[in-house]
Amino acid sequence: MAIEVKIPTILRTYTGGEKAVPAEGTTLSALIDDLESNHAGIKDRLIDNGDLRRFVNVYVNDEDVRFIGGLEAELKDGDAVVILPAVAGGAN
Amino acid sequence: MRSRPDRGTRLESVLTIDQATYDAIVAHAKRDHPDEACGIVAGPEGSDRAERFVEMVNAAGSPTFYEFDSTDLLQLYKEMDARDEEPVVVYHSHTATEAYPSRTDIGLASEPNAHYVLVSTREHGNNPGPVEFRSYRIVEGEVAEEEVTVVPTLS
């Protein structure tokens, strides 16, 4: 089972510059573990204290995973996953 | 080739921006004051040309914080992807403090190739009058200010 994962510029150091990589998993959590096994270090950039980092957005078929179960969001063959860091900041 | 900011050095690189885009960023910042305004200027990947102004909604609606709405963010990146573009400029305003990246700005900066433009509206708010308009590179927690060159049109 293959799922295409789009990787943002800032995380391409973990994928040898690749903009998209294949990965496997029936949940987002499993998919991230699979990513980690091929691209060591990437998991820590996505997950903090067992949860998705506040300023990392992950989408499954254009849906923000926060609305479809977060790390438990279910995945199936052919799904498209996009990782995007939040564009955020501010004076405080 | 674009010069890379080195640790501790300033004004090594330069942001070249056309007058209309500069004015659009300033107008957006003034209009949204006292909340922070935010957006990007996209350009062809690797070109360093700030060509396509895209105003974004500050989903935080706050005078001290900005964040692109997550759905808008995805749409924006899909659109840039389809056009082979990248964010050449990421801009936002500070409405009560100077146009310098805060710790939050530095911690969350995630586009190593972008020029981070900060506009401060603290002096004149929504009214006419000059603003601070400054640009930075923010890479791995290191900030390097750069020169801003405003041109009539991009050559």
Side-chain angles (χ1 to χ4, degrees):
Chain A
M1 137 159 190
I3 292 165
E4 185 192 56
V5 184
K6 288 207 170 173
I7 305 294
T9 308
I10 191 128
L11 296 183
R12 288 179 197 156
T13 49
Y14 298 98
T15 61
E18 291 296 323
K19 291 181 173 184
V21 295
E24 294 184 358
T26 55
T27 62
L28 179 59
S29 184
L31 181 96
I32 290 173
D33 284 338
D34 186 54
L35 274 180
E36 175 70 16
S37 67
N38 292 308
H39 311 285
I42 199 167
K43 182 177 179 177
D44 183 56
R45 301 293 298 271
L46 305 175
I47 289 178
D48 182 38
N49 274 328
D51 212 344
L52 202 56
R53 286 185 179 273
R54 160 73 178 86
F55 293 107
V56 172
N57 295 310
V58 179
Y59 307 85
V60 175
N61 302 331
D62 293 353
E63 285 236 57
D64 187 331
V65 295
R66 290 192 173 84
F67 303 120
I68 53 170
L71 287 174
E72 299 316 310
E74 289 178 13
L75 299 175
K76 58 184 187 315
D77 200 10
D79 280 350
V81 173
V82 176
I83 300 170
L84 284 178
V87 179
N92 264 8
Chain B
M1 180 156 163
R2 182 157 78 213
S3 66
R4 304 265 311 171
D6 295 317
R7 183 180 294 244
T9 59
R10 311 187 107 211
L11 304 175
E12 263 207 6
S13 55
V14 70
L15 167 66
T16 303
I17 191 166
D18 68 279
Q19 187 70 53
T21 304
Y22 177 98
D23 291 347
I25 292 173
V26 171
H28 184 201
K30 283 182 177 285
R31 186 171 3 107
D32 282 11
H33 181 94
D35 285 347
E36 295 195 3
C38 55
I40 66 148
V41 188
E45 228 172 289
S47 70
D48 203 32
R49 289 172 61 85
E51 291 184 351
R52 191 167 67 89
F53 173 73
V54 186
E55 199 175 291
M56 299 296 287
V57 169
N58 177 3
S62 159
T64 55
F65 196 73
Y66 80 95
E67 182 170 10
F68 292 7
D69 171 78
S70 80
T71 305
D72 294 351
L73 178 75
L74 179 65
Q75 285 314 313
L76 174 68
Y77 274 76
K78 284 175 76 169
E79 197 178 285
M80 287 194 290
D81 210 33
R83 292 163 168 259
D84 291 320
E85 288 176 336
E86 63 183 351
V88 176
V89 170
V90 177
Y91 74 87
H92 78 282
S93 61
H94 285 174
T95 59
T97 54
E98 69 173 326
Y100 191 85
S102 67
R103 289 176 65 152
T104 313
D105 292 333
I106 297 164
L108 294 179
S110 49
E111 287 294 351
N113 299 326
H115 303 266
Y116 280 88
V117 164
L118 269 288
V119 173
S120 176
T121 53
R122 64 177 165 174
E123 226 178 316
H124 297 282
N126 307 107
N127 304 311
V131 296
E132 282 176 79
F133 187 111
R134 296 164 69 180
S135 185
Y136 307 86
R137 296 289 191 168
I138 307 176
V139 180
E140 288 172 8
E142 296 291 332
V143 177
E145 184 161 11
E146 59 184 2
E147 222 173 281
V148 176
T149 303
V150 183
V151 295
T153 53
L154 292 179
S155 54

